[in-house]
C-alpha cells in the first residue's frame, strides 16, 4: 500500500514473452458422467447427449450450423446436464445424511450424555459432608466426565461431520432447484419440437447462452461445496454408469432414453443403498460393486 509500480517498456516486453511461452490452459474436467458429444464440424453425425460450456464450444463453428441441428445439439446437452445434476444430487443427498447421522450418534449424543452425567454428579456431591470420602470420589468423577466431554467436543470439531453435512445439504438443495429449472426448460423445448419452423413461440427456443448459464451455474454449485465426496459413494455411481452403459449398448446414447432412465437409475441406487444396508446411514459396505 502506498507504493506505485511503474512498468517500463522492457518490463512489458518481458511479461508478454512469458505469456507466449506459457503452456496452454487445460480444459476443465468434472466428476460427472462424460458422454460422447457430436462434432460441430460434422453436422451429419448422430446427435447424442453431451456437455456444453463456454470453453468446449467454438461460437463460430456453432453459428455456422443450420437451426435444426443447433436445436438438436442444445437439446442433447440439456439432457446430459440434467443427468449430471441428478447424479450429483443423489450423491450429495446420501453424503449429507451419512455425515449428519455419524455426528449425531457418535459425537453429539455421547458428549451430551457425558455433560449430563457430570452435572448430576456435581449436584449429588452436595449431599456428602466435607470430610466424607464419597465427596472426593464424586468430585473426581465429575472432573473425569468433563474431561471426556471436552475431548469428545475436540474430536467433533476436528472431523467436522456436522459442518460437512450442512455443506452437502446446501448443495443438495441448490442442485434440486437447478434440476427443476432444467425440467421446465426441457418441457418447453419438447413443445418447441412439435411446432414447425417459424410457427413455434420464440420464448420456448433453447439458446446457446442459456445452456452456458446453466452449465456455469452447475459448476458454481459444485465449486461451492468445499467438502469432498467419500470415494465409496463416487465409485458406486461410477460402477452403475458403466453397468448401464454396458447393458444398453447403443441405446445409452439416445437422448430420450437418457432423459427418463438415468434419473430413475440414480434414484433406485440411492434408495437401494439405504434399504440394503444394515443400520444405515451409520454403516455402509466398503465394496461399491455390492450395491450395483
Amino acid at each position: 500500500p502506498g507504493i506505485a509500480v511503474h512498468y517500463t517498456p522492457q518490463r512489458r516486453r518481458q511479461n508478454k514473452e512469458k505469456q507466449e511461452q506459457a503452456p496452454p490452459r487445460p480444459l476443465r474436467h468434472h466428476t460427472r458422467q462424460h458422454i460422447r458429444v457430436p462434432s460441430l464440424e460434422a453436422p451429419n453425425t448422430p446427435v447424442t447427449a453431451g456437455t456444453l460450456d463456454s470453453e468446449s464450444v467454438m461460437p463460430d463453428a456453432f453459428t455456422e450450423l443450420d437451426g435444426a441441428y443447433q436445436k438438436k445439439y442444445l437439446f442433447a446437452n440439456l439432457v446430459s446436464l440434467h443427468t449430471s445434476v441428478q447424479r450429483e444430487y443423489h450423491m450429495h443427498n446420501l453424503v449429507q445424511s451419512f455425515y449428519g447421522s455419524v455426528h449425531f450418534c457418535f459425537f453429539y449424543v455421547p458428549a451430551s450424555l457425558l455433560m449430563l452425567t457430570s452435572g448430576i454428579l456435581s449436584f449429588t456431591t452436595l449431599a456428602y459432608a466435607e470430610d466424607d470420602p464419597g465427596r472426593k470420589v464424586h468430585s473426581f468423577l465429575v472432573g473425569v466426565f468433563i474431561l471426556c466431554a471436552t475431548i469428545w467436543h475436540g474430536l467433533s470439531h476436528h472431523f467436522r461431520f456436522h459442518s460437512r453435512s450442512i455443506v452437502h445439504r446446501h448443495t443438495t438443495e441448490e442442485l434440486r432447484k437447478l434440476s427443476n429449472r432444467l425440467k421446465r426448460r426441457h418441457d418447453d423445448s419438447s413443445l418447441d419440437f412439435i411446432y414447425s419452423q417459424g410457427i413455434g413461440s420464440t420464448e420456448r427456443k433453447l439458446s446457446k447462452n442459456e445452456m452456458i448459464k446453466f452449465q456455469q451455474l452447475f459448476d458454481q454449485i459444485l465449486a461451492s461445496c468445499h467438502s469432498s465426496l467419500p470415494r465409496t459413494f463416487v465409485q458406486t455411481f461410477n460402477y452403475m454408469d458403466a453397468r448401464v452403459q454396458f447393458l444398453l449398448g447403443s441405446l445409452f446414447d439416445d437422448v430420450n432414453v437418457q432423459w427418463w432412465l438415468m434419473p430413475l437409475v440414480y434414484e433406485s441406487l440411492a434408495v437401494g443403498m439405504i434399504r440394503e444396508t444394515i443400520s444405515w446411514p451409520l454403516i455402509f459396505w466398503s465394496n461399491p460393486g455390492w450395491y450395483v
Side-chain angles (χ1 to χ4, degrees):
I3 301 176
V5 180
H6 300 279
Y7 289 95
T8 60
Q10 183 180 2
R11 183 67 176 274
R12 293 194 185 95
R13 196 182 312 110
Q14 293 177 357
N15 294 337
K16 186 176 180 180
E17 293 177 356
K18 290 181 180 180
Q19 293 178 0
E20 293 177 353
Q21 296 175 0
R25 180 183 177 185
L27 295 177
R28 294 178 298 177
H29 298 280
H30 305 291
T31 56
R32 62 171 183 265
Q33 184 183 9
H34 293 274
I35 308 172
R36 291 194 300 274
V37 183
S39 175
L40 291 176
E41 290 75 11
N44 296 326
T45 56
V47 177
T48 57
T51 56
L52 179 69
D53 55 26
S54 57
E55 294 185 5
S56 61
V57 174
M58 299 299 295
D60 297 335
F62 184 83
T63 54
E64 291 177 358
L65 303 176
D66 57 343
Y69 187 76
Q70 288 183 7
K71 186 189 302 181
K72 292 181 181 180
Y73 186 84
L74 293 174
F75 187 78
N77 282 277
L78 176 66
V79 174
S80 177
L81 180 59
H82 177 260
T83 302
S84 301
V85 171
Q86 284 289 315
R87 185 178 188 270
E88 295 292 334
Y89 166 78
H90 287 290
M91 281 197 297
H92 284 276
N93 191 28
L94 290 172
V95 172
Q96 69 91 11
S97 177
F98 170 72
Y99 282 155
S101 300
V102 169
H103 169 75
F104 180 79
C105 296
F106 292 103
F107 293 97
Y108 178 77
V109 172
S112 300
L113 292 177
L114 289 173
M115 292 299 296
L116 177 63
T117 305
S118 62
I120 294 174
L121 290 176
S122 62
F123 282 111
T124 57
T125 305
L126 301 176
Y128 293 93
E130 294 184 358
D131 55 349
D132 195 335
R135 186 183 182 91
K136 297 181 180 179
V137 174
H138 276 66
S139 300
F140 175 77
L141 292 177
V142 168
V144 170
F145 280 112
I146 292 177
L147 178 62
C148 293
T150 304
I151 295 175
W152 225 260
H153 278 294
L155 292 175
S156 177
H157 181 72
H158 173 73
F159 289 106
R160 299 183 297 109
F161 283 113
H162 181 61
S163 59
R164 293 163 73 179
S165 175
I166 293 176
V167 170
H168 287 287
R169 188 184 309 159
H170 175 73
T171 305
T172 301
E173 291 296 326
E174 295 299 324
L175 290 173
R176 181 183 59 82
K177 296 177 183 178
L178 179 58
S179 177
N180 293 335
R181 292 179 60 182
L182 293 175
K183 287 180 182 178
R184 291 194 299 266
R185 201 64 186 90
H186 174 270
D187 297 338
D188 293 342
S189 300
S190 299
L191 290 175
D192 185 55
F193 277 119
I194 301 175
Y195 294 89
S196 302
Q197 293 184 359
I199 301 178
S201 174
T202 57
E203 296 179 356
R204 293 194 180 102
K205 293 182 179 179
L206 185 64
S207 64
K208 174 195 166 185
N209 293 331
E210 188 176 6
M211 274 304 306
I212 291 177
K213 290 181 180 180
F214 282 139
Q215 180 66 51
Q216 291 176 351
L217 180 59
F218 178 59
D219 296 338
Q220 290 175 3
I221 293 174
L222 295 184
S224 63
C225 183
H226 302 289
S227 176
S228 60
L229 296 169
R231 184 168 54 182
T232 303
F233 291 93
V234 178
Q235 289 180 350
T236 301
F237 278 80
N238 290 339
Y239 285 2
M240 179 58 72
D241 291 337
R243 181 173 178 82
V244 173
Q245 186 175 6
F246 175 77
L247 293 176
L248 295 181
S250 60
L251 289 177
F252 185 77
D253 296 330
D254 191 287
V255 175
N256 297 322
V257 175
Q258 284 257 340
W259 173 258
W260 68 266
L261 178 62
M262 296 310 297
L264 184 61
V265 168
Y266 295 143
E267 182 179 1
S268 302
L269 178 61
V271 174
M273 292 180 65
I274 296 175
R275 292 182 177 178
E276 299 297 331
T277 305
I278 302 175
S279 301
W280 169 266
L282 300 180
I283 302 174
F284 64 94
W285 301 107
S286 59
N287 182 16
W290 187 83
Y291 295 105
V292 177

